[in-house]
Amino acid sequence: MPTAVVNGLKVAYELHGEGEPVALTPGGRFSMDVAGVRELALALAEGGKQVLIWDRPNTGASDLCFQGDSEFEMHADTLAGLIETLELGTTAILGGSAGSRVSMTTVIRHPEVAEKLAVWWISGGYFHAAAIVGYYCGESWFAAKQNGMDGVAALPIWQETLQKNPANRERLLAMDPEEFAAVMEAWAPKLAAYPDSPALGMHVEEFAKILVPTLVFRGSPTDFWHHRSTTEWVAELVRDSHLVEPPWGDEEWNERSAGYQQTGDNLLFASWPKLAPQLLEFMNDPATR
């Protein structure tokens, strides 16, 4: 697997196909190996695009990194740096769930790398914020406080990156537990559900900084993690946005999330390849160039 050094970090990535560049970011703390991500990349490559998939720092085979004001801002800076390092030029930025947050933040912080933006499963809402704060920060904070870095290294959320990048175990165990816990405390509020903004961790005024053509896939009224109202609100705030229906039913996330909890088989993003026709149509449309 190729890697590039970006902002001092080793970042694992793959490039598929030839043509106009596209960067695809998965959600959760999942790597590009999770079902559906590479498959979507290959479908877009078959449609004439050069598609970058990558492991964000703290996921997959990339290095751990606990610097920056928030994890998703650090990810956005890394993605922009990776696009520049690979000399891709202005790129269509795509992502779902946590990947949508990274994608929007990349376009806002680094407009020079962005050609277009497409997002789905945008996270919003107070109780979703409470849940993902625990997922991304809370469990690790408690483990560091109670059992030191050995306790953090034993958590399920870190196992994939510790296995795929063995040096990450040394990095993690070398950290001072109190310093690590302080990072989790600093990052947690950055995932807040601001009452005047639809998306977690993003202030309402930031959406005016998204100046590229943007495709927003409408959420489901029964998906309380990525609710329909969140996506519709984002589409209202982004100047050049196009709101479309997704290629799956309203219960897509609910059913896949329940299956993951019951069996442990991570098929959360397995339907993402179905997005390819709409994404290609959007990226190829002369009206959005």
Side-chain angles (χ1 to χ4, degrees):
M1 180 181 298
T3 61
V5 177
V6 179
N7 301 330
L9 301 171
K10 186 182 76 172
V11 179
Y13 71 93
E14 294 178 2
L15 284 172
H16 296 278
E18 297 181 356
E20 295 174 325
V22 177
L24 172 61
T25 303
R29 190 163 270 137
F30 303 122
S31 73
M32 59 183 162
D33 290 335
V34 70
V37 175
R38 187 173 289 105
E39 291 82 356
L40 174 55
L42 292 173
L44 296 175
E46 290 178 3
K49 305 302 178 184
Q50 184 181 44
V51 187
L52 167 68
I53 56 175
W54 64 302
D55 288 346
R56 293 155 290 164
N58 304 338
T59 74
S62 292
D63 285 349
L64 293 177
C65 180
F66 300 103
Q67 299 176 350
D69 291 336
S70 72
E71 187 171 35
F72 65 88
E73 289 172 322
M74 179 268 289
H75 287 163
D77 294 345
T78 305
L79 177 56
L82 181 59
I83 290 170
E84 292 174 343
T85 297
L86 298 177
E87 299 181 345
L88 297 182
T90 53
T91 298
I93 312 293
L94 319 180
S97 197
S100 70
R101 185 165 53 250
V102 173
S103 296
M104 290 187 289
T105 305
T106 301
V107 172
I108 292 166
R109 291 171 68 89
H110 302 279
E112 70 281 358
V113 306
E115 180 72 22
K116 295 182 180 181
L117 172 67
V119 288
W120 55 96
W121 288 351
I122 303 171
S123 301
Y126 176 82
F127 290 106
H128 190 182
I132 70 169
V133 164
Y135 172 74
Y136 286 111
C137 302
E139 291 181 358
S140 295
W141 182 88
F142 277 107
K145 287 287 190 177
Q146 294 175 342
N147 300 304
M149 298 312 295
D150 286 330
V152 177
L155 291 174
I157 196 171
W158 297 109
Q159 296 313 301
E160 183 180 22
T161 192
L162 297 184
Q163 293 168 7
K164 291 184 175 179
N165 186 339
N168 279 340
R169 183 175 298 275
E170 297 178 13
R171 293 187 183 94
L172 195 63
L173 294 177
M175 292 191 68
D176 178 82
E178 290 301 319
E179 292 180 1
F180 176 84
V183 173
M184 296 297 102
E185 288 183 7
W187 280 3
K190 296 294 184 175
L191 292 168
Y194 301 111
D196 63 345
S197 177
L200 301 186
M202 300 181 66
H203 294 280
V204 66
E205 61 270 16
E206 292 183 277
F207 293 94
K209 299 178 182 178
I210 299 177
L211 302 178
V212 298
T214 299
L215 186 67
V216 180
F217 287 91
R218 195 191 306 269
S220 163
T222 63
D223 178 353
F224 300 114
W225 303 111
H226 323 97
H227 198 265
R228 172 166 292 178
S229 60
T230 300
T231 53
E232 292 177 340
W233 193 355
V234 169
E236 289 177 5
L237 292 172
V238 175
R239 184 182 68 181
D240 187 4
S241 66
H242 308 261
L243 184 65
V244 298
E245 298 297 331
W248 45 63
D250 285 345
E251 296 304 314
E252 173 71 16
W253 173 263
N254 295 334
E255 291 174 355
R256 293 202 177 274
S257 180
Y260 182 38
Q261 294 175 10
Q262 292 169 5
T263 68
D265 294 331
N266 189 353
L267 299 176
L268 291 172
F269 311 146
S271 291
W272 282 18
K274 296 179 182 179
L275 295 165
Q278 289 167 282
L279 290 170
L280 288 167
E281 180 182 8
F282 169 70
M283 291 186 283
N284 292 333
D285 186 351
T288 62
R289 291 181 183 272

